[in-house]
Amino acid sequence: MGVAALFLLSSLCLFAITAQAQQCSKPSGGPNMDLKPEYILNTTFEDGATVAFSCNPGYTPAGGSPTITCTAGLWSEVLLRCERKNCGALEEVANGEITYINGTEFGDTAKVTCKLGYNPVGGSAVMRCDVEGWTGRLPTCEVVKCVPPGGIVNGTFSPMKEFYEYREVVQYSCNKDLELNGSRELICSEDGNFSPAPPNCVWVECKDPVIENAELQSGSRPPHRLNAALIYICKTGYTMEGPSTVTCDLNSQWSPSLPKCNTQQCSKPSGGPNMDLRPDYMTQTTFEDGATVAFTCHPGYTPVPTITCTAGQWSAVQLRCEKKNCGALPEVTNGEIIYTDGTEFGDTAKVQCEPGYYPVGGSAVLRCGVEGWMGRLPTCEAT
Ligand SMILES: *[C@@H]1O[C@H](CO)[C@@H](O)[C@H](O)[C@H]1NC(C)=O
Ligand SMILES: *[C@@H]1O[C@H](CO)[C@@H](O)[C@H](O)[C@H]1NC(C)=O
Ligand SMILES: *[C@@H]1O[C@H](CO)[C@@H](O)[C@H](O)[C@H]1NC(C)=O
Ligand SMILES: *[C@@H]1O[C@H](CO)[C@@H](O)[C@H](O)[C@H]1NC(C)=O
């Protein structure tokens, strides 16, 4: 092989090696960046070529050179850093509040909320941090306005205006001698309406009451206007049902309600010793005025006392239940009756015939029972 040939070969070979080593392929950048548009179509780059990166939309360069160089087939390090664009805080909104959903960076959103009684006007309720900054226009929060509330018959309200602002108050009043029924004050609420409903004006006069068996203790004379008060008491022998004091209300009614005077009643009476209420009165718990009840004596006791209910009080139990007395037995011819104790309930009697006479028929001993002497008297007969 000649020198020339060797030289050619080696230089060809060197050319091939350097040609291959000198070219760079398409470079890839860091996050959120791309090759500048002018390099996008090149697929290979010569040794010494310089290309530049730019940050993606919504991202801004945060230091580092945007260029890299192809040297011996290798790209220098990408130093450029791209950060998410920060739109910064929005300006304050008077009577409103801005809420950032995540933050103030690219893609984040912010919401404008007006205070109670204020409504957003113009602009958009939701803003977005975009390539060019916040999208949309900030709304303003404007106070809610109310139109005048309704007028009322025989009354008026003040102040009178074309519009009222949120929380403004109007006051109602009634013409002379009429009473206001409802709320005196209405307020402009956040929905643009006055609340509560307007009142009305009413003429109030309560009728002079007629209550049987009652007497007016104190109170106003007619005409009875709003809040006029009357105090009643019942005549003796009557008890009050309901309130003793009544007042005239807005509906021209006595309130809570007129009382009643009822005749007094007696409760179940208790009798004296050795007696019970007669069974036909036992089930009753109250007794009308004038009612009379009867007692029965326990077996062997007599007589039957009655008491009377008067003005809520029972008359005193005058009678006592005493032991029944069977009385003396009839005389026995030729004989004598001997009483062991006496002639009352439970006592016994015996017939003693005179000497030479003997008892015939009847019983030797008689006992004073509920129905009288029990047994039959014997006769004394000679033998
Ligand atoms: C990219 O390609 C164009 C056309 O082929 C060429 O003119 C340009 O020099 C190339 N740029 C680089 C940096 O290689
Ligand atoms: C807000 O950030 C959280 C994580 O911090 C994420 O999961 C969520 O998707 C983000 N929301 C919006 C609207 O960007
Ligand atoms: C309002 O006043 C008029 C007299 O001015 C009267 O005739 C009318 O009954 C009143 N209405 C009411 C609801 O009180
Ligand atoms: C007072 O107002 C109430 C509620 O609006 C109404 O129901 C009532 O009828 C009124 N009373 C009178 C006497 O107008």
Side-chain angles (χ1 to χ4, degrees):
M1 214 188 288
V3 171
L6 189 69
F7 173 76
L8 188 68
L9 190 72
S10 59
S11 63
L12 258 176
C13 191
L14 191 67
F15 174 78
I17 289 164
T18 50
Q20 207 179 358
Q22 276 172 349
Q23 285 200 327
C24 286
S25 57
K26 198 172 199 140
S28 53
N32 305 314
M33 62 181 77
D34 268 324
L35 266 184
K36 282 198 164 162
E38 57 261 43
Y39 309 114
I40 286 288
L41 292 174
N42 301 49
T43 49
T44 55
F45 299 85
E46 296 301 314
D47 188 50
T50 290
V51 295
F53 286 95
S54 61
C55 291
N56 286 345
Y59 291 81
T60 49
S65 166
T67 59
I68 54 172
T69 308
C70 175
T71 311
L74 287 175
W75 289 108
S76 58
E77 198 187 338
V78 180
L79 294 173
L80 176 69
R81 280 180 298 112
C82 291
E83 275 181 356
R84 253 210 305 169
K85 178 185 175 71
N86 195 329
C87 289
L90 284 159
E91 32 180 315
E92 301 270 294
V93 176
N95 299 309
E97 205 188 324
I98 296 170
T99 321
Y100 298 99
I101 304 305
N102 264 4
T104 58
E105 295 186 344
F106 179 66
D108 288 343
T109 52
K111 215 172 77 181
V112 178
T113 319
C114 291
K115 279 203 309 202
L116 190 67
Y118 292 81
N119 286 332
V121 174
S124 38
V126 176
M127 318 263 295
R128 183 184 183 85
C129 177
D130 211 339
V131 178
E132 302 297 327
W134 290 105
T135 56
R137 204 159 60 80
L138 269 182
T140 55
C141 288
E142 287 182 11
V143 69
V144 165
K145 288 203 169 78
C146 288
V147 293
I152 55 170
V153 177
N154 293 341
T156 184
F157 65 83
S158 72
M160 294 254 192
K161 291 167 140 193
E162 200 179 340
F163 286 106
Y164 299 83
E165 288 194 349
Y166 174 63
R167 299 212 74 77
E168 246 188 290
V169 168
V170 296
Q171 298 240 5
Y172 280 84
S173 57
C174 289
N175 295 352
K176 191 170 168 342
D177 292 335
L178 295 180
E179 303 292 344
L180 191 109
N181 173 36
S183 179
R184 188 172 294 278
E185 286 189 351
L186 268 64
I187 188 161
C188 173
S189 58
E190 65 270 15
D191 64 2
N193 292 310
F194 272 97
S195 78
N200 62 342
C201 293
V202 290
W203 170 259
V204 174
E205 186 172 346
C206 287
K207 282 208 205 80
D208 203 31
V210 179
I211 306 171
E212 272 179 61
N213 302 312
E215 282 165 5
L216 186 63
Q217 194 182 39
S218 66
S220 62
R221 310 215 145 273
H224 305 291
R225 307 297 315 278
L226 183 66
N227 296 330
L230 302 176
I231 303 173
Y232 283 96
I233 48 169
C234 286
K235 290 183 182 159
T236 347
Y238 295 87
T239 35
M240 189 168 281
E241 183 189 327
S244 59
T245 303
V246 292
T247 49
C248 181
D249 71 14
L250 267 173
N251 300 309
S252 298
Q253 298 294 320
W254 290 106
S255 172
S257 65
L258 289 174
K260 281 201 285 187
C261 288
N262 297 324
T263 53
Q264 287 178 347
Q265 294 193 320
C266 288
S267 56
K268 199 177 219 140
S270 54
N274 305 316
M275 62 181 82
D276 278 326
L277 197 60
R278 226 168 62 190
D280 43 329
Y281 301 112
M282 282 304 245
T283 52
Q284 235 172 298
T285 52
T286 56
F287 299 82
E288 292 299 314
D289 198 48
T292 294
V293 296
F295 289 88
T296 51
C297 287
H298 288 172
Y301 293 82
T302 193
V304 179
T306 63
I307 58 171
T308 302
C309 170
T310 310
Q313 297 291 325
W314 287 105
S315 55
V317 180
Q318 299 284 6
L319 295 162
R320 285 181 298 124
C321 286
E322 283 175 356
K323 260 192 185 173
K324 183 184 175 71
N325 197 324
C326 289
L329 283 158
E331 299 273 299
V332 176
T333 322
N334 303 315
E336 201 191 339
I337 296 168
I338 299 167
Y339 299 100
T340 46
D341 288 303
T343 59
E344 293 184 342
F345 180 69
D347 291 345
T348 52
K350 212 169 80 182
V351 175
Q352 179 139 37
C353 292
E354 284 169 16
Y357 292 86
Y358 297 94
V360 174
S363 22
V365 175
L366 285 89
R367 180 181 290 275
C368 177
V370 175
E371 304 292 336
W373 290 106
M374 294 181 293
R376 209 157 57 80
L377 271 180
T379 54
C380 289
E381 297 193 5
T383 41

